[in-house]
Amino acid sequence: VTGQQLKLSPGAQLDLGLGYRLKPWLQIGPELGMIVNDVDAFGDFQYPNSSLFQMPILATVTVEYPYWGRFVPYAGAGVGGVASYLSFGNHWEWEPDGTGSDFVFGYKVFAGMRFRFSDRWSLGLLYRFTATEGQNWDVEWWTGQHFNVGVDAIQLHSFCLVFTGSF
């Protein structure tokens, strides 16, 4: 939809990351995530029960300040790719009316604060900004017809509860 915005409802996010500590204050590692949002509209166009599922696959770097007692402030960034799956409606209540997928470059930046309640476990809050380059979905409709939906970029702001374990 030219000149319009993709409007998403607040959604859900789940990430799993592994990290290797190079220094007490520096960690690197891979991260796999899932982000799900309902699609409210593509500009003025709306279609019921539409959703966007994104799966970031990123390499991350985290810098933290572990010398502040039980509280640990941290920040970082990640870069990689994002697989996405766009679906429209429900045909006969068990499958979407139309679906399309894409894989594009993506990145994130984040900052947060954790509370260490033991040497190995912590709980905290995190702000994250995730962005992708333009995405283009070749949507196949249940009738076999195709249409193309594209956006210039997707930018998401997230506030997350973080549970961390060290092994």
Side-chain angles (χ1 to χ4, degrees):
V1 180
T2 305
Q4 301 290 321
Q5 286 190 338
L6 171 64
K7 297 173 188 166
L8 301 173
S9 292
Q13 182 170 334
L14 176 67
D15 296 303
L16 176 62
L18 299 173
Y20 179 74
R21 210 166 278 287
L22 296 171
K23 301 281 185 186
W25 52 270
L26 180 63
Q27 178 178 297
I28 62 170
E31 182 174 298
L32 177 65
M34 295 182 293
I35 305 168
V36 180
N37 296 88
D38 287 337
V39 176
D40 288 338
F42 286 92
D44 296 328
F45 174 74
Q46 295 178 333
Y47 198 89
N49 300 317
S50 298
S51 64
L52 176 62
F53 172 81
Q54 297 184 92
M55 187 168 65
I57 305 164
L58 306 173
T60 63
V61 174
T62 305
V63 177
E64 61 183 42
Y65 186 73
Y67 311 109
W68 204 27
R70 290 195 175 274
F71 290 95
V72 181
Y74 63 97
V79 65
V82 177
S84 64
Y85 177 79
L86 178 66
S87 65
F88 291 93
N90 291 319
H91 176 68
W92 299 101
E93 298 300 323
W94 64 79
E95 65 182 37
D97 290 343
T99 60
S101 61
D102 198 7
F103 186 84
V104 297
F105 172 77
Y107 67 92
K108 71 174 185 174
V109 293
F110 57 92
M113 176 77 76
R114 290 194 321 261
F115 175 77
R116 288 190 295 205
F117 52 88
S118 78
D119 287 341
R120 295 184 178 259
W121 302 100
S122 64
L123 186 65
L125 295 174
L126 168 79
Y127 166 75
R128 175 184 358 227
F129 173 76
T130 305
T132 70
E133 67 180 359
Q135 297 189 42
N136 192 340
W137 301 281
D138 180 21
V139 178
E140 182 177 359
W141 213 247
W142 65 274
T143 60
Q145 296 174 322
H146 288 258
F147 66 93
N148 195 301
V149 177
V151 294
D152 289 335
I154 294 179
Q155 300 174 348
L156 300 171
H157 300 272
S158 305
F159 294 96
C160 307
L161 181 64
V162 178
F163 183 69
T164 305
S166 299
F167 303 98

